[in-house]
Amino acid sequence: MAVMRRTRFDNWPCSIARTVDLVGDWWTPLVMREAFYGARRFEEFQQRLGVSRNVLTQRLDRLVDEDMLERRPYQDRPVRHEYRLTEKGRDFFTVLAAMIRWGDRWLADPSGPPIELRDRETGLPVEFEVIDARTGRPIDVRQIIPMPGPGLPKDLAERFREANHDQPRSDAL
């Protein structure tokens, strides 16, 4: 039986590929979800998710290594740790918010979404929208033009320009 090796995307010149390399398995976004919902200790994550100990250990270790979570001791004998969101980890909430918005719109039960996230001050449900921070307008894929950025290697930027002629096909949207 052949062992399948995971394709690594962490060095690709693509923000989506690099993000998928970090959080693209089934469990990692769910571990982060539980961290946002208040899980701190290994047992809490395991109980909430029903994931095996070895898989959870691997995911938590990777999230700590990637500075998404910070491991802090809460007990000395035996030493036990809790996991806290870092600034990088808290910033990942925008990714989960986009997934929640899309899932609530296209995959939710007819009775409504499974979880409502509410504003602490008003108690009102939060309505997620991806906006352009410069204009405050909602982002519409039909109004976006992908262009090579400063982090794209020159040879790939040239191939990108040739393939896209600096404009996506309007019939694809």
Side-chain angles (χ1 to χ4, degrees):
M1 178 176 182
V3 174
M4 291 185 54
R5 294 183 187 253
R6 182 175 84 80
T7 300
R8 303 257 339 217
F9 296 109
D10 56 337
N11 288 320
W12 280 38
C14 172
S15 296
I16 294 171
R18 290 176 180 171
T19 302
V20 166
D21 188 74
L22 174 58
V23 298
D25 67 87
W26 295 337
W27 290 110
T28 302
L30 299 177
V31 169
M32 290 301 292
R33 177 196 70 191
E34 292 307 322
F36 286 116
Y37 290 175
R40 298 282 180 263
R41 298 179 179 178
F42 187 93
E43 294 77 20
E44 291 175 308
F45 286 103
Q46 189 179 31
Q47 182 180 30
R48 292 178 182 197
L49 294 169
V51 61
S52 69
R53 294 182 70 79
N54 65 324
V55 169
L56 181 56
T57 297
Q58 290 170 358
R59 297 314 180 272
L60 289 169
D61 286 348
R62 176 85 191 273
L63 290 167
V64 168
D65 290 345
E66 294 289 341
D67 194 35
M68 301 276 283
L69 296 173
E70 177 183 52
R71 187 181 287 123
R72 294 182 189 170
Y74 70 87
Q75 178 179 309
D76 289 333
R77 294 184 185 176
V79 175
R80 297 202 187 276
H81 296 92
E82 65 180 10
Y83 298 87
R84 295 292 190 138
L85 291 161
T86 62
E87 180 182 359
K88 183 178 177 182
R90 285 187 300 275
D91 196 41
F92 184 71
F93 184 73
T94 58
V95 175
L96 292 182
M99 293 173 74
I100 290 166
R101 180 182 187 271
W102 188 87
D104 286 353
R105 180 171 181 188
W106 297 105
L107 303 174
D109 187 82
S111 63
I115 298 288
E116 285 186 343
L117 300 178
R118 294 182 175 263
D119 183 276
R120 283 186 191 271
E121 289 181 26
T122 67
L124 296 173
V126 174
E127 294 185 24
F128 299 109
E129 185 75 43
V130 178
I131 62 164
D132 180 335
R134 289 191 179 104
T135 66
R137 294 188 316 223
I139 293 179
D140 181 339
V141 69
R142 296 167 294 192
Q143 300 300 318
I144 301 297
I145 299 170
M147 302 290 287
L152 190 64
K154 292 187 185 310
D155 61 323
L156 294 176
E158 186 57 37
R159 281 195 273 164
F160 182 89
R161 284 189 189 94
E162 290 171 5
N164 293 294
H165 306 289
D166 290 332
Q167 295 282 331
R169 292 178 42 192
S170 60
D171 63 342
L173 304 175

